[in-house]
Amino acid sequence: MTNDNQSTDVTDGFHLVIDALKHNDIDTIFGLVGIPITDLARLAQAEGMRFIGFRHEQNAGNAAAIAGYMTQKPGICLTVSAPGFLNGLTALANATTNCFPMILISGSSEREIVDLQQGDYEEMDQLNIAKPFAKASYRINHAADIGIGVARAIRAAVSGRPGGVYLDLPAKLLSQTMDSAAGKKSLVRVVDAVPRQLPAPESVARALDLLKSAKRPLIILGKGAAYAQADADIRAFVEHSGIPYLPMSMAKGLLPDTHAQSASAARSYVLAEADVVMLVGARLNWLLAHGKGKTWGAPKRFIQIDISPTEIDSNVAIEAPVIGDIGSCIAALLNGLKSSPLKPDAEWVAAIQSRKDKNSAKMAQLLDSKPSPMNFHSALRAIRDVLKTRPDINVVNEGANTLDFARSIIDMQQPRKRFDSGTWGIMGIGMGYAVGAAVTSGLPVVAIEGDSAFGFSGMELETICRYRLPVTTIIFNNNGVYRGTDVNPSGGADVAPTVFVKGARYDKMIEAFGGIGYHATTASDLSSALREAIAAGKPALINAVIDESAGTESGRLTNLNPATAAHKK
Ligand code: ADP
Ligand code: TZD
């Protein structure tokens, strides 16, 4: 361990990195130690920062990313070189894809050896490998540059469209020394890291004109809107305009899902029938069928609010782009609305209501059934009823059917409380997000996990137990990827590619680390286990046994599976 008190006049790279982070109010590092960064983690702890150690870097990176999304401050992930760096890189790429601010800090090996490919311990040209996956990538070579390097990384992560930043710290840098007064002076505090970016007044006027011309307007709120923390103005705009809205999955709770203007229960209808659609921090990617085709019916006229100008016209023509930060854009639009109010067509509102009523009645029937074993609906009904009483709880959600059904059945009442597979539809975010959300908010987390999805990060149950986090993980155990019913078509001894060990007892896993395990075979078991686990505020895992034939292949995305054209006899 580095000796803090060797000389009061000298500081080194280790100290300067920690000082630079603290100087910018960063108080937590998620990571996994080893050469050359073990002492950096120790020092962080010694200097009053929180170091949360993981079992795999991808999960540490995911925790950092979700902390960034929740706070608008970059989450920090610290890893060792080469393999540790690569393990963290998936999380960095996922953060960049989702527009979450995080900084992956990795130690790296001797430059001279790496560049001549002479076979150093954990040799890898990390900086160049990180570039395509990060919003920005930097290496610091001199201790005197640590202050500016860290400041640069912070600003790159959070300004404009947020994203993942890679910061390369060669081993040699960490032990480099310099005069401590000069070191202190070299620190940089980032001023106005997330500057307001005001929209051009003419873009606001254009958007309002288009909105006023609409007969069947629709607002779509994306996770960019949730990230922006402009909750009160967004709600005021939606309510003043009277326009029906759809929340994307992580924007659920920005307005409570029970809000009268939510069109979620009539999603297909409003997407097909709307004439003018206003996107607020939501991209027209695959999650919105690229803004065209069958889902969207007749071509739409779009308004798009986004901080990134090049997002506009990415998939279809946008008639009224409004470029700026969502807080400033919505405030300007709200202002315009006050001087000339809108009133959406009563027929449009009534038509949506009647679809909502019809679809909700159908859903209520499914939710009321009590099949044995449980299916997705009956299990989620039990969870929904418990979570309704705890709007403060963070919900993490991944899987295929488990994700699709939970998204529509579990209502959210508060913003930035739902964290899921996001823009990539990635599996493996579960336990990393759960730890990140619990540590960042200090509030309980309920992770609703497909059994396959859970497997990607399941070892972090130990992390959850080690830090005694109030995380309850619910495994939707249907014996496989999607379902557990496939059979090996060749008749061979191996099980089918989608099938797991039948009847696995995931609840036993958490018991190995001192957590509480529950085995739930009925909705009432599940309900009482969840109530008890939340009340206890301790690490818990509920193995919820689900009918292995329930659900569909790939959940809602069945149609994305390419079909084989060749059928061998
Ligand atoms: P969803 O998956 O919920 O539809 P996306 O991740 O596709 O949402 O879209 C988020 C969008 O929000 C991105 O295009 C991003 O540039 C934008 N964004 C993020 N933060 C802000 C902000 N503070 N102001 C404006 N736009 C933002
Ligand atoms: N690997 C990664 C990193 N991301 C992925 N999305 C996949 C693989 C493919 N995949 C899905 O898209 S969903 C899924 C996989 C493996 C798991 C589905 O099974 P589950 O969920 O048990 O988690 P359900 O609820 O039983 O369908």
Side-chain angles (χ1 to χ4, degrees):
M1 153 135 211
T2 5
N3 186 345
D4 204 0
N5 300 318
Q6 227 161 30
S7 160
T8 47
D9 300 324
V10 172
T11 187
D12 60 19
F14 286 106
H15 286 81
L16 285 166
V17 171
I18 301 304
D19 291 348
L21 293 171
K22 285 178 66 182
H23 199 56
N24 285 286
D25 304 324
I26 291 173
D27 55 14
T28 306
I29 295 177
F30 303 95
L32 203 165
V33 297
I35 296 171
I37 51 89
T38 311
D39 270 356
L40 196 60
R42 286 203 182 103
L43 187 65
Q45 203 170 49
E47 298 281 327
M49 289 182 84
R50 200 142 189 226
F51 181 84
I52 307 290
F54 283 75
R55 306 299 295 261
H56 189 289
E57 292 88 349
Q58 189 178 126
N59 308 317
N62 285 329
I66 214 62
Y69 170 73
M70 294 167 81
T71 60
Q72 293 190 344
K73 280 203 301 195
I76 307 292
C77 173
L78 181 65
T79 79
V80 302
S81 26
F85 155 79
L86 282 177
N87 286 344
L89 195 58
T90 303
L92 185 77
N94 184 57
T96 305
T97 302
N98 281 283
C99 314
F100 298 160
M102 75 169 275
I103 304 174
L104 174 66
I105 303 181
S106 298
S108 60
S109 307
E110 300 295 335
R111 286 246 49 82
E112 295 82 348
I113 302 178
V114 172
D115 290 349
L116 272 175
Q117 298 182 27
Q118 293 174 312
D120 201 3
Y121 166 72
E122 298 195 345
E123 174 182 296
M124 181 171 280
D125 183 6
Q126 294 165 200
L127 182 69
N128 280 312
I129 287 165
K131 277 180 185 165
F133 304 104
K135 187 181 165 194
S137 303
Y138 306 109
R139 174 187 297 131
I140 306 175
N141 288 301
H142 297 294
D145 291 334
I146 287 173
I148 207 78
V150 168
R152 209 157 155 59
I154 291 171
R155 193 178 287 282
V158 293
S159 62
R161 170 185 278 181
V165 173
Y166 175 61
L167 188 60
D168 194 78
L169 303 184
K172 262 190 194 163
L173 170 83
L174 295 170
S175 53
Q176 245 180 54
T177 55
M178 71 181 284
D179 174 71
S180 93
K184 200 166 175 194
K185 257 204 192 144
S186 72
L187 299 181
V188 176
R189 190 170 162 90
V190 179
V191 176
D192 202 11
V194 189
R196 285 198 304 150
Q197 291 184 226
L198 305 182
E202 59 275 19
S203 73
V204 174
R206 196 187 294 122
L208 284 170
D209 283 349
L210 181 49
L211 214 48
K212 276 177 204 151
S213 74
K215 274 206 146 44
R216 297 181 305 282
L218 173 70
I219 295 172
I220 297 183
L221 301 172
K223 60 183 172 303
Y227 174 79
Q229 299 193 16
D231 310 339
D233 272 2
I234 288 172
R235 182 167 186 158
F237 183 84
V238 171
E239 289 180 345
H240 271 72
S241 70
I243 297 173
Y245 75 95
L246 277 182
M248 298 301 288
S249 67
M250 282 180 60
K252 279 164 65 75
L254 190 43
L255 279 81
D257 278 333
T258 47
H259 197 284
Q261 283 169 256
S262 168
S264 289
R267 190 175 192 273
S268 316
Y269 178 75
V270 291
L271 287 180
E273 297 299 324
D275 58 355
V276 173
V277 177
M278 180 167 128
L279 299 158
V280 186
R283 287 170 284 184
L284 284 176
N285 54 18
W286 67 280
L287 286 161
L288 282 170
H290 304 281
K292 57 195 172 192
K294 208 168 127 235
T295 309
W296 288 88
K300 309 299 170 200
R301 304 176 76 188
F302 284 104
I303 300 163
Q304 185 163 24
I305 305 181
D306 207 289
I307 202 149
S308 171
T310 52
E311 186 55 41
I312 308 304
D313 301 333
S314 58
N315 284 266
V316 293
I318 303 294
E319 199 169 321
V322 183
I323 304 303
D325 76 90
I326 284 167
S328 302
C329 294
I330 286 287
L333 286 161
L334 187 57
N335 212 20
L337 210 59
K338 278 182 186 151
S339 50
S340 72
L342 274 174
K343 192 152 176 21
D345 190 59
E347 246 179 70
W348 172 232
V349 173
I352 296 172
Q353 191 57 50
S354 101
R355 292 287 159 148
K356 277 171 66 174
D357 292 345
K358 217 168 86 191
N359 292 343
S360 305
K362 256 197 246 161
M363 179 59 99
Q365 246 181 4
L366 288 168
L367 292 175
D368 283 346
S369 67
K370 293 191 173 62
S372 177
M374 287 185 280
N375 62 15
F376 289 96
H377 288 92
S378 64
L380 285 164
R381 158 81 194 256
I383 296 169
R384 181 195 73 174
D385 290 347
V386 176
L387 292 187
K388 215 187 259 177
T389 63
R390 288 293 302 265
D392 59 323
I393 280 181
N394 298 290
V395 174
V396 171
N397 188 198
E398 62 177 335
N401 295 283
T402 307
L403 177 74
D404 293 338
F405 289 122
R407 182 176 51 232
S408 55
I409 293 169
I410 307 289
D411 283 339
M412 302 305 297
Q413 300 174 57
Q414 295 178 8
R416 295 172 297 283
K417 291 279 184 189
R418 186 188 150 86
F419 315 110
D420 65 27
S421 301
T423 303
W424 261 349
I426 192 175
M427 299 299 115
I429 47 84
M431 299 299 99
Y433 280 5
V435 172
V439 167
T440 305
S441 67
L443 291 167
V445 176
V446 171
I448 306 171
E449 302 271 311
D451 49 347
S452 163
F454 168 74
F456 290 74
S457 65
M459 193 62 205
E460 303 302 342
L461 285 180
E462 190 275 332
T463 309
I464 289 167
C465 291
R466 184 169 11 115
Y467 293 101
R468 300 189 181 86
L469 297 172
V471 174
T472 304
T473 302
I474 306 169
I475 311 288
F476 275 49
N477 189 353
N478 60 357
N479 299 339
V481 177
Y482 313 128
R483 285 177 303 198
T485 45
D486 271 12
V487 287
N488 181 340
S490 76
D494 289 347
V495 297
T498 55
V499 168
F500 292 160
V501 165
K502 306 255 182 205
R505 291 290 299 269
Y506 292 97
D507 49 315
K508 303 278 180 203
M509 280 178 70
I510 199 165
E511 288 172 2
F513 308 114
I516 306 163
Y518 298 92
H519 182 61
T521 56
T522 66
S524 80
D525 284 354
L526 175 53
S527 170
S528 59
L530 182 57
R531 261 178 232 285
E532 195 178 297
I534 292 172
K538 291 188 182 139
L541 186 146
I542 305 170
N543 183 51
V545 178
I546 306 289
D547 180 353
E548 66 172 7
S549 67
T552 57
E553 176 118 343
S554 305
R556 192 172 58 84
L557 303 179
T558 303
N559 61 322
L560 294 187
N561 281 306
T564 171
H567 286 284
K568 282 207 239 157
K569 291 252 152 95

